[in-house]
Amino acid sequence: MRNILLLRNILLFVLPTALYAAGPSSLVRNGGFDEVKDGATVGWRPVGAKYVYRDGEGRSGTRALCFANDDPKFYSFPGQPLALQAGKVYEYEVWVRTEDLKGPEQGASVCIEWNDARGRWLGGSYAEGVKGTRDWTLVKGVTGRIPKEAASFRIQPYVRKGVVGRAWFDDVAVRERVPRPVSGVYSTAYRNLAADGDVTFVAATELPGDRSCEVVFHYRDAQGASRSVPGTVSDGAARATLPVASLAAGRQDVRAVARSGGRVLGFASCAFTRVAALPDRAVWIDRHGRTIVRGEPFFPLGMYWSGVSSNKVETYAQGPFNCLMPYNAPNSKDLLDLCHAKGLKVIYSVKDVFSGTRWAPKGIETEADEVRYISDRVARFKNHPAVLAWYLNDELPLSMLDRLTARRDLLEKLDPGHPGWVVLYQYTQIRDYLPTFDVIGTDPYPIPTKPAATATHWTRLTRDGTLGCKPLWQVPQAFNWAAYKKTPEEKAKHRAPTEAELRSMCWQCIANGSNGLVLYSFFDLEKEPNGETFASRWAECRRVGAEIRAQIPVLLSVEGAGRGLVGPFADETVSVRAWLKDGDTYVLVVNGGDTARSVRVPLGADAARGSAAAVFGPAPRQDGDAVSLDLAPLEPAFVRLRRRGF
């Protein structure tokens, strides 16, 4: 599911101007490789035999970085250091020409990477490359916000490992992307439609540190008069909550305007509609972030599939899962009928239907082809009771924002009755993707090279990136990375998550706000890498899924005002979430770390008077107005207090 895009013509995918203003000139020195001093290419590291700086082979007969390689084991990164700043976003690019470039990876590309102050690799941003034989093509990427821990940076045009052939690089550039003061306005109402209750409008902001900055929301009231209300500005957003009854009936633009000292810095708006009653929809999202299926709350609990077949449905239906997401969406009503008969919902994938991308179906050459294909699928299957949602995007880049936004809008127009779900590894860029989805998931796959607590970190940043306006269906790792490696040596470096790791990562996601889980993946279990067996891995997934399913009535409860996250805790690997159900308080506490933790959770006076017992996990100790737990590494615990609290 990682990095699947291969662009036919990356010039089609220009970063939209709605989110960012033009940045300064390029931060790369000698991006065309033309400046030479004492025989060395200025600004760039020396290169080996497979990479050569050569005159006359650039885009305009200028100098170029040339790659020629027939050894699939060769891997090197020409590059130069950069001066970047934490918290900022950068766009980077290189022009590439290829000749018979082939191999298992994406080919000739460019990336920006960063290390911490001790020189340890922290991460990077990697543009999708090109292979085959291509004339000069622009390859572009956009970083997320540079993390505060990053201390050194480098830009690297390169050819990925395992790829052989020839490639030419020219005109490398990096520019800061300067965010708009107000990049968008969103609301807590699903699809900006509400009949009653309160609605919170949220403006995504990038404001100067000057305290004179303010954000004011403008709207029409129930009598049609123009009104305004100041927003509360914090954490890169401005918020204003209004009773739906105070807004004009029908559709209106709610506008957020940022000012400083009387000067307008920027503005944005969203189209909000007040209705007398919500429409009848097969599936939608309520104001608590819950999925509602034909009027009943539903917690999606499933796994990714490759394709649907009747024998696999029979096996899967014996487990605890209630949905599945097949990459190869059923083209047959019979398969959907079978899933429905077995009590399984299907997230229907149209994520590949973008012309110019690697996995586009045959015949998808233009935007008109895309619309025709999707319109046909939606018309055929939107009324089927097995359909849960449409899968709109699997990690496509932010440079496609306009197309991704248009795709979500198209699906809403064609089928108002089902939400659109996307999954991203770009967990630091969720805010920028907000116009493209109804439901979001991110896919931390840390095992074995990173800690299991990565699931906590990613889920928190994903939740924060939605500005509280969109629900989460997270994608925990159930697979072994060895299933995607080619050689025995590479496979030997990897393993599947242990059952304890899988269990912890799933509960970490839930504890940090996820209202659905779709594990990756069922079909990888069948590959049985490194001597694993499907039977043992499937049994582990079933046990973890069964434990979660048993608590779904609690996870879907919206009683009382205390439902939500608890904390924060000094130990960032500890996560806590609480619910009320039938008057009892339930507290989920998860140790995402690899060492034992003693955790004390404040509960409030009412809850403290209750009787605490373990639903699962260690026995809790009541300590005044708190509950204390001794958690083993990776251990989750669910505590029930039999008196109303919070």
Side-chain angles (χ1 to χ4, degrees):
M1 211 161 88
R2 295 281 180 185
N3 303 336
I4 62 169
L5 180 63
L6 178 62
L7 303 182
R8 174 186 303 165
N9 185 347
I10 298 184
L11 280 170
L12 293 175
F13 308 133
V14 179
L15 188 69
T17 58
L19 294 177
Y20 297 98
S25 58
S26 175
L27 302 174
V28 177
R29 183 179 181 185
N30 192 23
F33 314 109
D34 297 310
E35 186 180 352
V36 180
K37 184 176 181 180
D38 298 329
T41 302
V42 173
W44 294 91
R45 290 198 301 259
V47 294
K50 306 293 185 179
Y51 288 96
V52 177
Y53 299 111
R54 188 172 291 133
D55 292 332
E57 300 203 20
R59 291 172 60 211
S60 303
T62 55
R63 209 158 183 258
L65 172 64
C66 307
F67 170 87
N69 175 45
D70 59 3
D71 179 6
K73 295 183 179 180
F74 174 78
Y75 198 36
S76 182
F77 290 85
Q80 74 168 252
L82 292 172
L84 306 184
Q85 296 182 44
K88 293 190 174 181
V89 176
Y90 296 86
E91 183 183 74
Y92 56 99
E93 64 184 42
V94 65
W95 285 89
V96 174
R97 182 167 72 89
T98 59
E99 183 178 292
D100 197 27
L101 199 66
K102 55 189 177 183
E105 298 293 340
Q106 292 299 305
S109 186
V110 61
C111 70
I112 292 179
E113 294 187 305
W114 43 85
N115 289 14
D116 66 12
R118 297 175 61 184
R120 296 176 299 188
W121 179 86
L122 288 179
S125 179
Y126 305 86
E128 293 299 332
V130 294
K131 290 194 300 187
T133 298
R134 301 283 186 88
D135 200 356
W136 288 105
T137 302
L138 182 62
V139 174
K140 299 183 71 170
V142 182
T143 71
R145 295 178 184 275
I146 300 297
K148 62 182 180 180
E149 300 85 3
S152 62
F153 312 87
R154 57 202 174 274
I155 180 75
Q156 300 175 140
Y158 70 108
V159 175
R160 296 194 179 189
K161 188 176 182 180
V163 176
V164 297
R166 302 181 70 192
W168 292 258
F169 301 88
D170 200 359
D171 295 332
V172 184
V174 176
R175 297 178 180 86
E176 179 189 344
R177 304 306 302 183
V178 182
R180 303 285 185 183
V182 184
S183 59
V185 178
Y186 309 94
S187 85
T188 54
Y190 176 62
R191 289 181 169 171
N192 295 322
L193 188 82
D196 54 22
D198 292 338
V199 58
T200 299
F201 295 96
V202 186
T205 60
E206 289 283 348
L207 302 175
D210 188 345
R211 291 186 178 181
S212 66
C213 291
E214 64 174 358
V215 177
V216 176
F217 291 85
H218 299 266
Y219 64 97
R220 288 185 293 110
D221 68 14
Q223 288 72 45
S226 296
R227 299 287 185 184
S228 63
V229 60
T232 301
V233 180
S234 66
D235 299 326
R239 292 174 169 82
T241 300
L242 297 169
V244 173
S246 71
L247 297 166
R251 183 184 175 97
Q252 66 167 298
D253 286 337
V254 176
R255 173 171 291 198
V257 180
R259 293 184 176 87
S260 178
R263 180 173 62 93
V264 173
L265 301 176
F267 57 87
S269 64
C270 74
F272 176 82
T273 304
R274 176 189 168 191
V275 294
L278 292 177
D280 184 17
R281 294 174 285 202
V283 184
W284 61 290
I285 308 297
D286 73 5
R287 63 176 177 266
H288 305 288
R290 301 181 305 174
T291 305
I292 306 299
V293 177
R294 303 191 184 278
E296 297 296 326
F298 182 84
F299 188 99
L301 180 63
M303 300 184 76
Y304 273 76
W305 284 39
S306 177
V308 180
S309 61
S310 56
N311 61 323
K312 293 179 182 178
V313 170
E314 294 290 343
T315 298
Y316 188 73
Q318 296 172 19
F321 301 102
N322 58 26
C323 65
L324 60 147
M325 203 310 294
Y327 279 129
N328 298 307
N331 198 25
S332 161
K333 180 178 177 295
D334 292 342
L335 289 174
L336 287 173
D337 288 345
L338 174 62
C339 290
H340 180 61
K342 295 295 183 179
L344 297 171
K345 299 294 182 185
V346 176
I347 302 171
Y348 199 100
S349 177
V350 291
K351 57 99 176 172
D352 292 325
V353 190
F354 289 95
S355 57
T357 60
R358 183 183 184 189
W359 302 111
K362 185 177 181 180
I364 302 299
E365 305 289 340
T366 66
E367 182 180 346
D369 294 334
E370 298 172 17
V371 173
R372 183 165 50 250
Y373 182 100
I374 288 181
S375 298
D376 171 71
R377 290 299 176 101
V378 172
R380 290 163 58 192
F381 300 123
K382 69 178 182 180
N383 293 322
H384 198 286
V387 173
L388 177 65
W390 302 100
Y391 191 33
L392 305 184
N393 172 20
D394 188 334
E395 302 183 336
L396 292 174
L398 188 60
S399 53
M400 290 180 64
L401 180 62
D402 288 343
R403 297 179 72 184
L404 298 174
T405 301
R407 179 57 49 82
R408 194 221 68 86
D409 294 346
L410 174 65
L411 264 296
E412 179 178 353
K413 178 182 177 181
L414 295 174
D415 179 16
H418 294 91
W421 182 51
V422 308
V423 175
L424 303 172
Y425 72 88
Q426 301 94 328
Y427 66 97
T428 63
Q429 297 177 306
I430 303 304
R431 176 189 294 207
D432 292 338
Y433 280 94
L434 274 172
T436 71
F437 60 84
D438 300 310
V439 185
I440 179 71
T442 52
D443 49 3
Y445 302 150
I447 307 301
T449 59
K450 296 179 182 179
T454 302
T456 287
H457 180 61
W458 280 45
T459 305
R460 287 176 179 172
L461 289 182
T462 302
R463 180 194 74 215
D464 294 346
T466 70
L467 303 177
C469 295
K470 303 290 179 75
L472 278 61
W473 300 348
Q474 285 291 85
V475 183
Q477 177 188 355
F479 72 101
N480 185 340
W481 275 109
Y484 293 89
K485 304 303 176 181
K486 303 298 181 183
T487 68
E489 294 77 14
E490 290 176 317
K491 290 178 182 292
K493 297 176 182 177
H494 297 277
R495 63 172 177 82
T498 65
E499 185 171 346
E501 287 169 334
L502 175 62
R503 181 187 184 215
S504 182
M505 290 188 291
C506 288
W507 283 114
Q508 286 176 52
C509 292
I510 293 171
N512 286 285
S514 186
N515 281 348
L517 297 177
V518 187
L519 281 61
Y520 192 86
S521 68
F522 183 70
F523 66 89
D524 278 328
L525 304 183
E526 299 175 309
K527 297 177 182 178
E528 300 187 331
N530 293 350
E532 297 173 6
T533 65
F534 172 82
S536 63
R537 294 298 328 286
W538 175 229
E540 292 171 1
C541 292
R542 288 179 63 177
R543 286 192 291 269
V544 171
E547 183 178 69
I548 295 169
R549 181 156 183 162
Q551 303 309 320
I552 284 180
V554 174
L555 304 184
L556 291 175
S557 176
V558 292
E559 294 178 20
R563 178 185 181 276
L565 309 177
V566 180
F569 287 83
D571 187 338
E572 293 187 354
T573 64
V574 174
S575 305
V576 181
R577 188 175 174 184
W579 296 262
L580 289 177
K581 172 67 174 169
D582 298 330
D584 293 342
T585 298
Y586 291 81
V587 183
L588 170 65
V589 187
V590 187
N591 176 14
D594 55 8
T595 59
R597 299 285 193 276
S598 293
V599 182
R600 184 176 186 273
V601 183
L603 299 175
D606 289 342
R609 288 195 292 269
S611 173
V615 177
F616 60 75
R621 302 186 305 276
Q622 289 182 270
D623 175 18
D625 62 350
V627 164
S628 295
L629 294 158
D630 294 327
L631 297 174
L634 303 174
E635 187 174 24
F638 216 40
V639 176
R640 179 182 183 183
L641 294 106
R642 292 185 177 274
R643 289 283 302 270
R644 181 177 295 275
F646 285 80

